Amino acid sequence: MIYQNILSKEFALMLKQSKGHIINISSTRASMSESRTEAYSASKGGISSLTHALAITLSPDVKVNSISPGWINTNEEYLPTKIDMAQHPSGRVGIPNDIVDTVKFLLKNRGFITGSDFVIDGGMTKKMIYV
């Protein structure tokens, strides 16, 4: 996370001149956890906080947002089961292009969206699952 902050500051002048965007990748783990994920969850929470802090520091010229993916299947050899898909309100597990689409949307931002975190998880963080 410290490298993200240093990199953002190093590019700040160029980003301000170009009215650029910073899009950080966080995770739904910033707001929900499983056992023994303390370090990972804390690091993702830090990215989310860094996002809104940088948005204020670099405003109004640079837009800073983050994306918090949920389950994104990046393994083409793994086919999610019907149970995997049914637990997502969207009816499916995410794919990398779901994140790409969000990045494209943010890059088209005309300047009003900044300091926000976009949860891309097929609705999983909104659904109660009881075992």
Side-chain angles (χ1 to χ4, degrees), residues 19-74:
K19 304 284 187 196
H21 299 262
I22 295 173
I23 301 171
N24 292 320
I25 302 297
S26 185
S27 171
T28 54
R29 296 301 172 133
S31 58
M32 53 188 273
S33 300
E34 288 186 302
S35 180
R36 300 182 203 353
T37 62
E38 295 83 3
Y40 184 78
S41 296
S43 71
K44 295 307 177 177
I47 289 172
S48 296
S49 295
L50 176 64
T51 296
H52 65 74
L54 279 173
I56 300 306
T57 299
L58 300 176
S59 67
D61 300 315
V62 179
K63 306 308 170 243
V64 185
N65 293 289
S66 61
I67 297 172
S68 289
W71 181 359
I72 305 297
N73 184 17
T74 59

Side-chain angles (χ1 to χ4, degrees), residues 68-87:
S68 289
W71 181 359
I72 305 297
N73 184 17
T74 59
N75 182 351
E76 293 179 7
E77 295 177 17
Y78 176 77
L79 296 176
T81 66
K82 287 183 181 181
I83 294 171
D84 295 335
M85 293 184 286
Q87 68 180 338

